């Protein structure tokens, strides 16, 4: 015990850690998965796997990442699953309101612009999702729109995103881009579906967050057709 004049002070225990302790909390997590969209002359193909992971754990083997928004638009979304579900629900509400007010469905380019505004509106606490929208425009042409989490977007011919996006994107570039003539290769929808299946088969071999099942949405003038395929499950 130390004495200072008439005061007595107990010394600090020697076993106390005086270093600052940092506490962290993140409202986000990345649940993995891969999404792909390819547009053609009169079609669009949107595909996504169904594995939902966190770290080295698989939460579920069937958690869809591609959602039909209308008869001519499909959204592929990866990243934080809870944010993806919330975003899709809000988009569905907006589309329903538009249908009641205008007595017609919203076009795919209009959905693309609306989604950009919705994401930008949440820019200070953004949806942790990476979106790819595919479908047909007003002229019946295939279109693909890719986004960042805060709403910046552009129209493209094809795009891959998610945990396996860096693996799939170069493969798609090789299949669909004519680099010699600076043009794109137009293929029938059956060939595109085969390429997409090959892309996901390869991604499932290299990316542990991609696998289990593949859902392929084919958008044409006749509506949306869904195909399913098994992927690697380990």
């Amino acid at each position: 015990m130390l004495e200072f004049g008439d005061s007595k002070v107990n010394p600090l225990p020697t076993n106390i850690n005086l270093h600052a302790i940092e506490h962290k909390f993140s409202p986000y997590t990345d649940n993995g998965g891969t999404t792909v969209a390819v547009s053609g002359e009169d079609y669009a193909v949107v595909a996504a796997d169904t594995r939902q992971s966190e770290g080295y754990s698989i939460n579920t083997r069937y958690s869809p990442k591609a959602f039909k928004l209308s008869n001519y638009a499909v959204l592929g979304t990866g990243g934080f699953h809870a944010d993806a579900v919330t975003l899709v629900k809000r988009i569905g509400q907006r589309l329903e309101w538009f249908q009641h007010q205008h007595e017609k469905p919203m076009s795919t380019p209009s959905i693309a612009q609306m989604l950009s505004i919705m994401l930008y509106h949440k820019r200070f606490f953004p949806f942790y999702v990476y979106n790819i929208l595919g479908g047909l425009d007003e002229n019946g042409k295939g279109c693909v729109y890719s986004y960042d989490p805060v709403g910046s977007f552009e129209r493209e011919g094809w795009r891959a995103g998610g945990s396996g996006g860096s693996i799939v994107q170069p493969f798609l570039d090789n299949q669909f881009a004519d680099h010699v003539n600076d043009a794109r290769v137009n293929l029938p929808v059956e060939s595109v579906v085969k390429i997409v299946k090959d892309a996901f088969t390869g991604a499932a071999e290299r990316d542990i967050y991609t696998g289990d099942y593949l859902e392929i949405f084919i958008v044409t003038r006749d509506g949306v057709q869904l195909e399913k395929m098994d992927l690697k499950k380990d």
Side-chain angles (χ1 to χ4, degrees), residues 40-217:
E41 186 65 26
D42 57 355
Y43 65 85
V45 176
V46 181
D49 75 304
T50 64
R51 176 175 295 178
Q52 185 198 119
S53 306
E54 189 170 358
Y56 292 104
S57 300
I58 297 176
N59 296 333
T60 177
R61 296 188 182 276
Y62 187 74
S63 176
K65 300 179 185 70
F67 304 90
K68 176 183 173 181
L69 301 181
S70 72
N71 287 331
Y72 301 105
V74 175
L75 178 68
T77 178
F80 184 27
H81 175 69
D83 278 356
V85 171
T86 301
L87 178 61
V88 171
K89 183 185 293 185
R90 292 188 180 183
I91 294 172
Q93 290 172 338
R94 297 285 184 92
L95 295 179
E96 185 176 351
W97 295 340
F98 184 92
Q99 176 74 41
H100 291 322
Q101 185 174 2
H102 300 279
E103 297 183 351
K104 66 177 182 179
M106 187 181 294
S107 67
T108 304
S110 297
I111 295 175
Q113 181 63 57
M114 180 188 70
L115 177 55
S116 174
I117 295 171
M118 292 175 68
L119 294 172
Y120 186 73
H121 180 72
K122 284 272 293 179
R123 64 192 180 279
F124 296 117
F125 190 17
F127 290 114
Y128 184 35
V129 287
Y130 299 90
N131 298 289
I132 303 175
L133 178 68
L136 303 182
D137 62 16
E138 301 95 327
N139 301 315
K141 303 283 187 180
C143 55
V144 167
Y145 300 89
S146 62
Y147 296 79
D148 71 1
V150 292
S152 177
F153 75 111
E154 63 177 321
R155 182 169 177 169
E156 301 181 281
W158 58 89
R159 173 59 61 179
S163 58
S166 59
I167 300 172
V168 176
Q169 187 65 45
F171 175 70
L172 298 182
D173 293 339
N174 176 265
Q175 295 295 312
F176 299 126
D178 183 354
H179 298 288
V180 175
N181 299 312
D182 192 22
R184 81 158 287 174
V185 178
N186 290 313
L187 297 173
V189 63
E190 296 81 9
S191 298
V192 171
V193 170
K194 290 180 181 179
I195 290 172
V196 169
K197 290 180 178 179
D198 287 343
F200 274 91
T201 301
E205 293 288 339
R206 296 293 182 181
D207 176 32
I208 64 172
Y209 304 112
T210 299
D212 295 318
Y213 303 99
L214 173 63
E215 293 187 331
I216 305 174
F217 290 83

